[in-house]
């Protein structure tokens, strides 16, 4: 891959990662509930889904999904339902500390990884996006595997850095609200509403 093309990929990938979405909300929620360091597990789960999306597109399956209204609709509503479920669970979750105490949640790394993966995986529009995005940086007259590896590594590294050092770090500013049960309850409801809102957008905006 030419260096100038890679720089274009770097810029596009950075802009995409900074665009708020379900992944950003999930990352901030994890950082608030489990801490900045442990939020990396949810971010890694999101990257696992990203790798799967890239593989789907690279193998040509993405074209079939994008061209099949039934498959696209089924995955779209499944993803929306999952986000709504996460939102309701977050909204209804009880504070994890007593009044006046301060603590972080004890959700397992695997649980955060799995949730992060499903948040990104159940988003058919990501497949459609990569169908439009990846070809811009792939040259058919050059070995394809190496190009896809470069694209995947670049996009994943960018997304990890943005998610962890921007969205998860931003959540630190809300930590003062988690020092009591009332603050936790407010944040749980805010993030619950955000999850439901993103799920609604995924379901109803075409």
């Amino acid at each position: 891959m030419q260096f100038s093309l890679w720089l274009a990929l770097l810029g596009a990938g950075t802009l995409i990662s900074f665009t708020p979405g379900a992944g950003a909300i999930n990352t901030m929620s994890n950082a608030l509930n489990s801490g900045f360091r442990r939020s990396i597990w949810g971010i890694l789960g999101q990257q696992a889904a990203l790798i799967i999306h890239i593989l789907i597109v690279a193998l040509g399956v993405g074209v079939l999904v994008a061209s099949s209204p039934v498959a696209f609709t089924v995955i779209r509503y499944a993803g929306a339902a999952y986000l709504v479920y996460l939102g309701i669970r977050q909204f209804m979750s009880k504070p994890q500390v007593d009044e006046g105490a301060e603590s972080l949640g004890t959700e397992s790394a695997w649980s955060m990884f799995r949730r992060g993966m499903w948040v990104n995986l159940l988003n058919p529009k990501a497949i459609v996006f990569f169908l439009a995005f990846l070809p811009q940086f792939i040259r058919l007259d050059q070995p394809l595997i190496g190009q896809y590896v470069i694209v995947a590594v670049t996009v994943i590294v960018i997304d990890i850095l943005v998610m962890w050092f921007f969205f998860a770090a931003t959540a630190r500013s809300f930590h003062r609200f988690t020092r009591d049960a009332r603050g936790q309850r407010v944040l749980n409801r805010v993030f619950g509403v955000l999850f439901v809102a993103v799920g609604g957008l995924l379901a109803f905006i075409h």
Side-chain angles (χ1 to χ4, degrees), residues 79-99:
Y82 184 64
L83 289 176
V84 170
Y85 160 75
L86 289 179
I88 294 174
R89 190 179 71 170
Q90 182 91 22
F91 190 92
M92 300 297 294
S93 63
K94 297 180 179 180
Q96 299 180 22
V97 298
D98 296 327
E99 293 289 345

Side-chain angles (χ1 to χ4, degrees), residues 60-72:
V61 181
V63 177
L64 298 177
V65 174
S67 61
S68 172
V70 175
F72 184 87

